[in-house]
Amino acid sequence: MGIAINKMFAQLLFWLYEFLDTIFEMFRVLCGIERVSVEGTDGGQSILDVFLRSSSVTKAFLLIFLVAMLVAAVSTIVTVVKNVVNIKGGERKSHARTVGQGFGTIVVSLVMAFFMIFGITMSNYVLIKVNDATAPDSNLSISAQLFDMSVGKSYQYDYDNITYEPIPVLDEFGEEMKDEEGNPIVERDEQGNIIYEEVIPLMRDENGDPIIESGWRGGHTAADLDFSTMKPDDVFGVHKKNVIGFEQGDKSYTRDPMVEMESFNFWTAYLVVIVMLVAIIFSMLGLVRRIFDIVLLFIVLPLISATIPLDDGARFKNWRDTVVSKVVLAYGAILSVNIFLLIIPTISMIDYRAW
């Protein structure tokens, strides 16, 4: 009965893994790591390039550009009038500079539109290289890596060669204390006898590396997992059944397992996959908003540039800083996920018994 319940939870876990793989692919697309193909184009593009270079966005930009020319003319006239009246006093801005800024808004809009598209393209290229540098070397899916993290792994200890060593006295900084002659100070009991601690060495192979026992069986690894097609019976095997049809909790199998269920930590598996799902979903919401914000900032660029004669480019500077912050937002999202995937193997190999 217990095995049947565990396999029911395992099936739910496999569905979560499959869902995680799906949204992770969407996450990579929204970040710009994965290319998307659009009908009528050659090769793939980042999703941000697709939106910025679409005909509808280009049309909207040109229409706003025409309106911005009128706004620039009005801004120039208003600034000239303010300079002539100069009610508040202070240093006047020359009319030549004001008119130059008015005509310059046209050039600024076109040049910045080009640099914005070019900069985003180069930023996506750099992002792909950063992702390649920080992504794990394995070709495993994210779900397979999380599953492997929950499979029990432990170091093998050499109980035949146990040694006993005196316990050193440590100072407040965790360093071993020594006497005046430089000899280590060790802990002693009330009778003055040295207190020893048991030291169990790790078993090592011929290369001197620690021997690790894993819950994987039959030479299988996480690379063999495919949660879109596999069922719990495929991964955890099928035990012999009792007279009422339930699998017995012993080591007798009618179908050999890839992983022994006793060595799989369901609590860790559920915790990690739920945390990862929540983190990626919230990151995706931010990335979707980023795309809309960047497209909007691109379309309103001519209007922002048209106000340069009024405030000497203060609003334009804020626009530029906002664009930069929105473009680099994807770096934080992809780096946070990659760093977590990089440390997963280390987390799974921590020996808690050493604590």
Side-chain angles (χ1 to χ4, degrees):
M1 185 65 177
I3 295 178
I5 295 175
N6 285 339
K7 286 191 174 180
M8 180 182 66
F9 282 107
Q11 182 61 71
L12 177 59
L13 181 65
F14 287 6
W15 288 334
L16 289 175
Y17 279 144
E18 186 178 359
F19 179 58
L20 176 62
D21 284 337
T22 301
I23 68 167
F24 188 65
E25 289 301 316
M26 297 171 58
F27 170 79
R28 290 172 59 86
V29 169
L30 292 174
C31 283
I33 301 300
E34 293 291 339
R35 300 290 182 171
V36 293
S37 299
V38 181
E39 186 177 356
T41 60
D42 296 330
Q45 301 176 355
S46 71
I47 190 169
L48 199 51
D49 286 334
V50 170
F51 281 109
L52 289 178
R53 298 179 183 181
S54 66
S55 59
S56 56
V57 172
T58 302
K59 181 180 179 180
F61 176 85
L62 294 176
L63 291 175
I64 293 294
F65 182 78
L66 296 177
V67 175
M69 293 177 64
L70 177 61
V71 174
V74 173
S75 298
T76 302
I77 294 173
V78 170
T79 304
V80 170
V81 172
K82 287 174 61 178
N83 289 336
V84 172
V85 176
N86 196 22
I87 298 178
K88 296 182 180 180
E91 184 179 356
R92 295 174 179 267
K93 186 167 66 173
S94 67
H95 298 332
R97 179 184 175 187
T98 301
V99 174
Q101 287 178 337
F103 283 104
T105 57
I106 301 175
V107 178
V108 169
S109 297
L110 296 176
V111 171
M112 286 304 301
F114 169 77
F115 276 106
M116 184 176 178
I117 295 177
F118 177 77
I120 289 174
T121 302
M122 292 303 299
S123 176
N124 286 335
Y125 175 78
V126 174
L127 178 63
I128 293 174
K129 297 303 178 184
V130 170
N131 175 71
D132 294 340
T134 58
D137 294 332
S138 65
N139 295 321
L140 299 177
S141 64
I142 185 172
S143 61
Q145 295 180 63
L146 296 186
F147 182 93
D148 187 52
M149 174 183 177
S150 302
V151 176
K153 302 178 183 67
S154 61
Y155 291 102
Q156 294 299 294
Y157 290 88
D158 188 0
Y159 292 97
D160 295 331
N161 294 297
I162 298 176
T163 59
Y164 296 89
E165 298 180 0
I167 301 176
V169 177
L170 305 179
D171 58 19
E172 56 182 339
F173 303 106
E175 301 291 336
E176 294 185 6
M177 299 181 63
K178 297 183 178 180
D179 57 21
E180 296 179 354
E181 299 178 357
N183 299 317
I185 301 176
V186 297
E187 294 189 5
R188 298 176 180 271
D189 58 19
E190 295 178 354
Q191 288 73 34
N193 299 317
I194 298 177
I195 301 176
Y196 292 87
E197 64 177 345
E198 184 181 79
V199 179
I200 307 176
L202 295 175
M203 295 186 67
R204 299 181 180 274
D205 56 20
E206 60 274 8
N207 298 322
D209 298 322
I211 299 176
I212 300 172
E213 182 181 7
S214 172
W216 291 99
R217 293 294 179 263
H220 291 287
T221 64
D224 300 325
L225 296 173
D226 183 2
F227 295 109
S228 62
T229 59
M230 285 184 169
K231 303 297 181 184
D233 287 347
D234 301 322
V235 178
F236 297 112
V238 179
H239 295 75
K240 288 184 178 179
K241 298 181 180 181
N242 56 26
V243 292
I244 59 176
F246 290 112
E247 295 183 52
Q248 303 180 76
D250 53 22
K251 295 295 184 179
S252 57
Y253 292 94
T254 58
R255 183 191 301 180
D256 291 334
M258 296 172 60
V259 175
E260 288 190 356
M261 185 174 291
E262 295 79 6
S263 66
F264 186 77
N265 192 323
F266 281 95
W267 290 106
T268 301
Y270 269 100
L271 176 63
V272 173
V273 73
I274 291 174
V275 169
M276 184 61 71
L277 279 170
V278 172
I280 292 180
I281 288 174
F282 275 97
S283 296
M284 286 174 60
L285 294 177
L287 292 170
V288 170
R289 179 179 176 181
R290 163 183 176 262
I291 293 174
F292 282 102
D293 287 345
I294 290 178
V295 172
L296 177 61
L297 289 168
F298 176 75
I299 293 175
V300 301
L301 167 60
L303 287 177
I304 301 299
S305 301
T307 63
I308 291 178
L310 287 174
D311 58 9
D312 288 330
R315 289 183 180 84
F316 179 78
K317 182 177 181 299
N318 291 334
W319 174 92
R320 183 189 61 198
D321 294 341
T322 303
V323 169
V324 173
S325 65
K326 294 294 182 181
V327 170
V328 300
L329 177 65
Y331 284 82
I334 198 67
L335 280 174
S336 60
V337 173
N338 281 353
I339 295 301
F340 177 74
L341 295 178
L342 280 174
I343 65 176
I344 279 180
T346 303
I347 294 175
S348 62
M349 288 310 303
I350 293 177
D351 187 2
Y352 299 98
R353 290 182 295 179
W355 296 8

